[in-house]
Amino acid sequence: MSDATSSSEERARIDGKSTSLFDFYGKPKFLKVLPLSLQHLLAMIAGVITPPIIVAGVVGASVEEKLLLIQIAVLASGVCTVFHLYGVWKFGARLPAIFGVGFAYVPTLVAVGAQYGIEGILGAQLIGGMTMVVVGYFIQYIRHLFPPVVAGTVVLVIGLSLYDIAIRYMAGSGNVNAANFGDPINWIVAVVTLLTVLIAAQFGKGVIKLSAIIVGIVVGYLLSLSLGLVSFDNVAYASWVAVPKLMPFEMEFHTAAIASMVVICVINSVQTIGDLSATTVGGMNRELKTKELTGGLLGNGLTTTVSSFFGALPTSTFSQNVGIVAMTKVISRYVLALAGIFMILAGLSPKFGAMITTIPYPVLGGATITVFGMITMTGIQLLVKDEMSARNMTIVGLSLALSLGIAAEPSAIEQFPAVLRDLIGGAPIVVAAITAFTLNIVLPKKSLSDEAKEREKIANEDKDTKDEANNQGDNLSQRSVHAE
C-alpha cells in the first residue's frame, strides 16, 4: 500500500466515514453501539459511586452532602471520559479508555478525611492534581524509566488485586460485614451471570458476542428481580434534575494531607501509564505513543484539579473497562463517548443514576470477573515484550511478592507511621509500582545473551581453575617420584 493511499484512508477515518467498531475513529450505527456502551457504563458505575459513599461516611456528611458527592462523581466521570476521548490541545489521551473518580485513592482519602474532613481532601486534591500535570509534562523525558517490564508489572498487579473485589461482589457486597454476605442465593445469581457472559462471549455471534457482559447483566438482573434482590428505594427519593455548583465545599490546606495526596497522585500516574499501555497493547495491538501518554497524564491532572472546585474526588483510568477493550477489541471512541454521555445524564439526573445503582452486587461481580482476568493477561502480554532475563524476572517476582504479600497480611506494617501505612497498605499497586520502578533503575541492564556470556565466562574460569589444580597435582606427584 502506498503512502498516499494510507494517508487518504487515515483522513477518511478521521473525517468519520468509517463505521467499524474496531476503528478508533469509526462511527457505527447507534443500535449496534448502545449495548456496547451500556456494558462499559455498568462495569464502571460501582467503582464511581463507591469512593464518595465511603468518604461521606468517614467525614460524617449529611444525607444531602452524600447525594451531592455521588452525583458530582458520576457527572465528573462522564465529562472526564469524553474529554479524554477527544482531547483539547495537549490535554487528553485520545484513546479508547474510560476515566472517572478512582477507587485507588480511597485509602488516602479516608486517612485525610478522618483528620481534616472533606475540606482537607479537596484542598490536598487541588495540589495533587497540579502535581499530576507536572508529571505529565515531564513524562516525555523520563518515559524510558517505564519499559514494558515496569508497566507490565503494574498492569499485572492491577488485575490480580481486583479479584477480591469481584469475589466480594459475587458474595453479595463490597463490604464483608454486610447483611447476607456470602448467602448461597448471591452466588447462584453471580454464577448464572458469569455463565451467561461466557456462553455469549464464546458461542454468540455479532453484537451478542461483543456485548457478552451486558447480556450477562440483563440475565442476572432479571433473575435478581424474580428473587426480590432489587431495591428501588433510592430511585423513589432521587430528584429528576440537579445542577452542580461551584465550590459546594470550602477548601483547607494542611501539609500532611497535601503530602499524602501528592504521593498517591504520582503513584496513580504510574497506574495510568499501565492502564493506557494495556489499552493499546490489548485492544489496538501496538505500543503506547509518547503523545498519548503525555496527553493522558496531563488530562488526568487537569480533571483532578478542576474536579476539586466542584466537590468531585480525584480521577483515574478504570482498569475494568481496559479489560473490556482488551477482551472485545472494540475501540471506537463513539462507543465509549456514548457511555460518557450516559454518565453525564446520570450526573445531571440523580434519578437516572439511582436507577443504574439498583443492579445487585452479585450481578456486577459475575459480569466483571472475566474482565479482571483479561487485565491480568494483558499485563503478561506487556511483560513478554521484554526478555524474560534473570534481571527482569527478579523485578517482576519481587514486585509481586512484596505488593501482594503486604496486601494479604496488612498487619505486617501495623507499626509503620500512619501516613506510610495508609499509602502502601491500601493498594498493592503502590508497592508494585515503587518496587518495579526502583529495581529497573538500580539493577544492571543485562540481556539474555549477556547472562549467557556471563555463565560461559564463569564456566571457563572454573575449567581453568580445575586445569590449574590438576597441573599442580601432577607437578607434586612428579616431585614426589624424584624425591623417592
Side-chain angles (χ1 to χ4, degrees):
M1 182 183 293
S2 68
D3 292 339
T5 304
S6 177
S7 61
S8 63
E9 288 185 356
E10 180 70 14
R11 284 196 301 271
R13 291 166 57 205
I14 296 176
D15 288 342
K17 296 180 181 179
S18 172
T19 59
S20 174
L21 289 168
F22 311 103
D23 176 1
F24 181 66
Y25 297 101
K27 290 186 178 180
K29 292 182 179 179
F30 178 79
L31 291 180
K32 183 183 289 188
V33 167
L34 183 60
L36 303 176
S37 298
L38 287 177
Q39 74 179 3
H40 273 291
L41 174 66
L42 297 178
M44 73 182 289
I45 189 64
V48 171
I49 66 174
T50 301
I53 290 174
I54 294 174
V55 169
V58 170
V59 302
S62 64
V63 175
E64 292 77 11
E65 290 173 334
K66 179 180 178 180
L67 292 176
L68 173 62
L69 287 171
I70 295 173
Q71 177 208 346
I72 196 62
V74 174
L75 178 60
S77 299
V79 172
C80 188
T81 293
V82 175
F83 172 78
H84 275 278
L85 287 170
Y86 293 91
V88 176
W89 192 44
K90 294 183 179 182
F91 296 84
R94 295 174 176 86
L95 287 173
I98 294 287
F99 284 75
V101 171
F103 198 90
Y105 298 97
V106 167
T108 302
L109 296 176
V110 168
V112 173
Q115 190 168 0
Y116 303 109
I118 188 66
E119 296 83 5
I121 288 176
L122 296 176
Q125 178 182 327
L126 177 64
I127 307 301
M130 293 177 179
T131 304
M132 292 170 73
V133 173
V134 174
V135 172
Y137 177 78
F138 285 103
I139 195 66
Q140 57 189 314
Y141 305 110
I142 60 174
R143 190 186 175 184
H144 63 282
L145 300 176
F146 301 93
V149 69
V150 175
T153 299
V154 171
V155 175
L156 180 58
V157 173
I158 290 171
L160 294 174
S161 64
L162 289 172
Y163 292 161
D164 64 328
I165 295 175
I167 293 299
R168 287 200 298 269
Y169 281 10
M170 294 175 78
S173 174
N175 179 11
V176 297
N177 297 316
N180 299 321
F181 182 83
D183 192 311
I185 199 69
N186 293 331
W187 280 101
I188 291 173
V189 172
V191 171
V192 168
T193 303
L194 173 58
L195 290 176
T196 304
V197 172
L198 290 176
I199 293 171
Q202 299 302 319
F203 301 101
K205 302 293 182 183
V207 176
I208 295 296
K209 182 180 182 70
L210 296 176
S211 323
I213 294 173
I214 190 68
V215 172
I217 288 176
V218 169
V219 171
Y221 191 80
L222 292 175
L223 177 59
S224 299
L225 275 173
S226 67
L227 296 172
L229 299 179
V230 180
S231 172
F232 294 96
D233 291 344
N234 291 334
V235 179
Y237 291 111
S239 59
W240 282 102
V241 178
V243 179
K245 298 178 181 179
L246 181 64
M247 297 290 289
F249 304 98
E250 294 182 358
M251 289 186 185
E252 294 179 1
F253 301 91
H254 303 276
T255 303
I258 291 172
S260 298
M261 192 67 72
V262 165
V263 171
I264 194 61
C265 282
V266 172
I267 293 299
N268 183 264
S269 296
V270 179
Q271 177 177 338
T272 301
I273 294 173
D275 278 339
L276 295 182
S277 297
T279 298
T280 56
V281 171
M284 307 174 84
N285 299 315
R286 65 170 176 80
E287 292 288 344
L288 177 66
K289 298 177 182 177
T290 300
K291 182 178 180 180
E292 294 166 337
L293 174 57
T294 301
L297 295 179
L298 286 173
N300 199 31
L302 179 63
T303 53
T304 294
T305 302
V306 174
S307 293
S308 63
F309 289 102
F310 292 91
L313 300 176
T315 59
S316 67
T317 46
F318 271 69
S319 300
Q320 55 267 48
N321 297 87
V322 173
I324 293 176
V325 171
M327 184 170 70
T328 64
K329 308 297 182 184
V330 173
I331 61 173
S332 168
R333 68 177 173 184
Y334 185 42
V335 172
L336 283 84
L338 187 58
I341 291 171
F342 282 138
M343 292 294 286
I344 293 173
L345 293 176
L348 293 175
S349 175
K351 192 172 288 291
F352 181 65
M355 191 67 195
I356 295 175
T357 62
T358 62
I359 302 173
Y361 278 106
V363 176
L364 292 174
T368 58
I369 192 166
T370 55
V371 172
F372 297 161
M374 286 302 302
I375 297 171
T376 302
M377 297 310 299
T378 301
I380 295 174
Q381 275 186 303
L382 276 169
L383 286 175
V384 298
K385 287 184 174 295
D386 268 348
E387 292 182 325
M388 280 294 96
S389 60
R391 171 191 183 273
N392 287 351
M393 285 193 290
T394 299
I395 293 174
V396 178
L398 190 55
S399 299
L400 289 174
L402 288 174
S403 60
L404 298 179
I406 292 174
E409 193 51 69
S411 61
I413 59 172
E414 279 298 318
Q415 303 302 314
F416 282 31
V419 173
L420 185 59
R421 185 174 65 245
D422 292 333
L423 177 64
I424 68 176
I429 177 64
V430 175
V431 178
I434 292 174
T435 305
F437 178 78
T438 303
L439 290 178
N440 181 62
I441 295 176
V442 173
L443 298 183
K445 302 289 191 296
K446 289 184 180 180
S447 64
L448 286 172
S449 60
D450 291 334
E451 292 175 355
K453 291 177 182 178
E454 191 176 67
R455 288 192 295 270
E456 184 178 350
K457 181 181 179 182
I458 294 173
N460 290 334
E461 289 175 352
D462 290 343
K463 182 180 179 182
D464 292 341
T465 302
K466 185 177 181 181
D467 290 343
E468 184 178 346
N470 290 335
N471 290 335
Q472 290 177 353
D474 291 342
N475 291 335
L476 288 173
S477 297
Q478 290 175 5
R479 285 197 295 270
S480 176
V481 170
H482 289 314
E484 292 176 357

